[in-house]
Amino acid sequence: MLELDRNSLSSEEWKNIEVARPEYNIEEMCKKTQEAPEWLHFGAGNIFRGFIAVLQQRLLDAGLAKTGIIASDTFDYEIIDKIYAPHDNLSLLVLMKADGSLEKEIVASVAEAVHADSSDETAWGRMKAIFRSPSLKMVSFTITEKGYSITNIDGSINKIASADMQTGPAHPAHAMSVVTALAYERFCNGASPIAFVSMDNCSHNGEKLSNSVFAVAEAWFRNGFVSKDFVDWLHDEKKVSFPWSMIDKITPRPAAEVQKKLEDAGIDGMAPITTSKGTYIAPFVNSEKPQYLVIEDSFPAGRPAFEKLTDCGVYLTDRDTVNRTEQMKVTTCLNPLHTALAVYGCLLGYTSIAAEMKNPLLVKLVKKIGYDEGLPVVVNPGILNPLDFINEVVEERVPNPYIPDTPQRIATDTSQKVPVRYGETLKAYIKAGKSMDFMIGIPLAIAGWLRYLLAVDDSGAEMALSSDPMLGELKESLKDVVFGKPESAHGVLKPLLSNPVIFGVDLYSSPYSAGLAEKIESLFCELISGKGAVARVLEEYLK
């Protein structure tokens, strides 16, 4: 049996089972990275291993890079200990094509993996040493949208970030405090320029990152922990940049059928693990082949030669173009469709996104949201055509039966997604002074999510909810709603629908959206009316 580690890479058996291997000297790459690190990445999960690390592998293979990436995690250290370490930081990428074939490759561009844990003296010392290095050019992130948030639903600073603001940079706990503390280490040791690049799937990701870092730094200045010069340095775009980006590649949970095919081919140790933090992860990453990464080209210390990558889906451009591309994808062409499929898939008992696309009503729902309600207000970014993009999503990507993605996974953290995936489109209509009376797809998506929060499926059975940082608060808001009794929902939704933190806009504040709020309330009452109501509502409004 083959083992996924460096010792096995010389075996020709990898070639015999059609697994591509790195073409560069891994030991030399690791040595150069240790001596002069250039790229550190926070968030050691699947999108990093299956996309971002592969980009650096392409550059290394082509001789366009000499160093690798240092992977780090601020949340789940077991990923480093139980997935990276046992396999010498190698990953096995499995691209799942629509014809059922698999394209396999060993990714070795991660030179080192470190806990971003300020309570671990050794790990924290290494992190600080990396940030002190003048050679470090960029720090990238895939920590999910909630990783950037330092506020509660009411806009107040959350408990962990607040504690960090009071205690200073010595032992930060929140991810944003960790980043700010390491930036301060760099400032105090030469203040070399650097780019902090969010590659997370959320609107204005660079702005979310910078706003949180600025807030922590300014609190530390007020509390006497850092100098005003440090705050000024962070705000100087010629020295510290926070480029915006748009990323798109589906990297679902590891699939049992992929694991079996790898093991049948003679590869040992492919079983997934579940960490104590609930992360389900394997030594392999299964993903779709289509991928896009659009990055604002703002790197004060230089960057990898992304412009020399061909057929990798990477585009370097300006912030406005990134914003338009991200809005196209996140608010219209993909993410809103995914979220609608997630909540209705859970309610209707589906365990596969691809299977949902065999339901003509759910196909009509996503087409209503994307084509009819989103496209009229989306701006063409110029580098990717919105109609072509959404056609690929609806006709090829989401229906791919070999992508084992589940509505339960996509329903994770929906509260963090709704203000962008639907709120931005609603705001665009309000800004343009356009009526939203014709809408039915987006109201159904929002009402469906609120119905989902009752934790009862369409058969009336108890249903597990995916994790969400606002789940407790949202369930408390809906505690008086009784499944089967629509009258119990009277007046309950208004505090939620008028909360711009949740929906990106107060749905009662504009004459263009007030009718929409009432429609959502009405749909919600219909959806909770009893067993089978979800299916009946979809049939009635989408027939």
Side-chain angles (χ1 to χ4, degrees):
M1 296 289 284
L2 285 164
E3 299 283 346
L4 183 63
D5 57 33
R6 289 184 194 168
N7 287 334
S8 78
L9 284 180
S10 59
S11 172
E12 286 303 302
E13 195 58 34
W14 292 109
K15 183 178 180 181
N16 295 338
I17 60 172
E18 299 182 313
V19 176
R21 288 169 290 174
E23 299 175 9
Y24 49 92
N25 185 313
I26 297 172
E27 299 299 330
E28 184 69 18
M29 177 272 291
C30 290
K31 181 174 180 291
K32 289 183 180 295
T33 306
Q34 179 78 18
E35 293 170 350
E38 296 184 336
W39 184 353
L40 181 138
H41 183 88
F42 285 108
N46 287 344
I47 188 67
F48 166 67
R49 296 189 297 150
F51 188 0
I52 297 161
V54 181
L55 297 178
Q56 189 69 354
Q57 174 130 312
R58 297 287 175 269
L59 293 171
L60 286 161
D61 277 339
L64 297 170
K66 301 298 182 185
T67 61
I69 305 174
I70 298 171
S72 188
D73 211 278
T74 61
F75 173 70
D76 198 337
Y77 308 132
E78 288 179 56
I79 295 175
I80 302 295
D81 298 337
K82 296 181 178 180
I83 293 295
Y84 280 74
H87 301 284
D88 298 330
N89 299 329
L90 304 178
S91 294
L92 182 57
L93 173 63
V94 181
L95 298 179
M96 307 178 73
K97 300 181 180 179
D99 63 3
S101 63
L102 303 180
E103 188 176 305
K104 304 179 289 292
E105 175 182 6
I106 293 171
V107 180
S109 58
V110 175
E112 184 180 359
V114 190
H115 297 183
D117 182 1
S118 66
S119 67
D120 181 332
E121 185 175 346
T122 301
W124 191 238
R126 176 58 183 149
M127 291 295 291
K128 291 199 289 187
I130 293 165
F131 272 77
R132 286 195 296 268
S133 176
S135 61
L136 187 65
K137 296 177 179 179
M138 66 179 286
V139 177
S140 53
F141 300 78
T142 50
I143 59 175
T144 74
E145 189 163 1
K146 64 183 176 183
Y148 303 100
S149 177
I150 61 172
T151 58
N152 298 310
I153 188 172
D154 61 1
S156 61
I157 302 297
N158 66 41
K159 187 181 296 185
I160 299 175
S162 179
D164 286 342
M165 290 175 177
Q166 297 304 313
T167 55
H171 296 288
H174 193 286
M176 295 296 94
S177 308
V178 167
V179 174
T180 311
L182 291 168
Y184 184 56
E185 183 75 17
R186 187 171 184 84
F187 172 77
C188 293
N189 290 272
S192 299
I194 194 166
F196 291 98
V197 191
S198 172
M199 296 179 178
D200 266 298
N201 179 22
C202 57
S203 179
H204 297 187
N205 51 17
E207 185 176 53
K208 283 180 167 61
L209 171 58
S210 63
N211 285 346
S212 293
V213 168
F214 294 159
V216 173
E218 287 159 6
W220 283 348
F221 168 64
R222 290 193 301 272
N223 293 330
F225 293 112
V226 303
S227 66
K228 180 66 163 55
D229 287 344
F230 170 59
V231 176
D232 292 342
W233 178 72
L234 286 175
H235 282 271
D236 186 343
E237 292 186 358
K238 293 181 180 178
K239 296 174 181 175
V240 181
S241 67
F242 295 87
W244 294 15
S245 72
M246 185 284 283
I247 192 166
D248 182 27
K249 186 179 181 73
I250 298 173
T251 52
R253 285 161 55 99
E257 57 266 37
V258 174
Q259 178 192 344
K260 185 177 186 304
K261 286 183 179 181
L262 296 177
E263 291 173 344
D264 289 348
I267 307 172
D268 198 18
M270 291 292 102
I273 66 164
T274 301
T275 70
S276 60
K277 294 285 185 71
T279 305
Y280 187 72
I281 191 167
F284 66 90
V285 177
N286 44 230
S287 76
E288 64 173 350
K289 187 160 186 174
Q291 59 184 37
Y292 302 92
L293 179 61
V294 182
I295 314 175
E296 177 187 358
D297 197 0
S298 176
F299 293 82
R303 56 164 172 76
F306 292 133
E307 77 282 358
K308 295 184 179 179
L309 293 173
T310 57
D311 301 322
C312 289
V314 180
Y315 301 82
L316 292 158
T317 184
D318 56 79
R319 179 172 292 187
D320 285 344
T321 303
V322 172
N323 189 39
R324 290 195 298 271
T325 308
E326 182 270 333
Q327 285 186 320
M328 176 200 75
K329 178 237 175 184
V330 175
T331 71
T332 302
C333 294
L334 174 58
N335 298 76
L337 318 188
H338 249 168
T339 293
L341 289 171
V343 296
Y344 279 99
C346 292
L347 289 167
L348 294 172
Y350 285 95
T351 56
S352 162
I353 290 291
E356 287 188 72
M357 292 299 286
K358 294 179 181 179
N359 182 325
L361 291 175
L362 293 177
V363 172
K364 286 184 180 180
L365 174 62
V366 297
K367 286 185 174 181
K368 282 282 184 187
I369 294 168
Y371 291 98
D372 298 348
E373 298 169 11
L375 281 181
V377 292
V378 77
V379 178
N380 189 328
I383 57 174
L384 295 172
N385 181 274
L387 184 58
D388 292 341
F389 194 96
I390 196 170
N391 284 340
E392 182 185 55
V393 167
V394 173
E395 296 169 10
E396 300 175 33
R397 296 175 63 187
V398 180
N400 184 343
Y402 300 100
I403 296 296
D405 219 347
T406 68
Q408 291 75 22
R409 182 190 79 87
I410 295 173
T412 301
D413 303 333
T414 301
S415 70
Q416 309 298 292
K417 302 168 182 175
V418 166
V420 176
R421 299 187 179 188
Y422 303 115
E424 291 300 314
T425 293
L426 301 182
K427 285 192 285 188
Y429 274 91
I430 292 170
K431 184 177 180 180
K434 290 186 174 183
S435 171
M436 290 181 270
D437 288 347
F438 76 98
M439 285 188 179
I440 191 58
I442 290 176
L444 276 170
I446 294 174
W449 174 54
L450 296 170
R451 164 69 179 81
Y452 161 88
L453 291 170
L454 298 186
V456 178
D457 69 18
D458 199 31
S459 70
E462 185 176 342
M463 177 182 70
L465 300 182
S466 301
S467 63
D468 190 306
M470 289 177 62
L471 196 56
E473 297 166 82
L474 290 165
K475 289 180 72 175
E476 177 66 19
S477 298
L478 297 170
K479 70 180 188 303
D480 294 328
V481 177
V482 180
F483 176 71
K485 296 184 177 181
E487 65 275 11
S488 66
H490 181 70
V492 169
L493 296 189
K494 187 164 186 177
L496 294 174
L497 296 176
S498 60
N499 189 335
V501 173
I502 302 175
F503 293 102
V505 61
D506 176 351
L507 292 177
Y508 291 91
S509 66
S510 166
Y512 302 105
S513 63
L516 187 72
E518 293 168 359
K519 185 180 292 184
I520 293 168
E521 290 179 321
S522 176
L523 288 168
F524 178 76
C525 289
E526 292 186 55
L527 289 166
I528 69 169
S529 62
K531 296 178 182 180
V534 173
R536 287 197 302 272
V537 167
L538 291 175
E539 175 71 28
E540 178 180 350
Y541 288 95
L542 297 172
K543 61 186 175 182

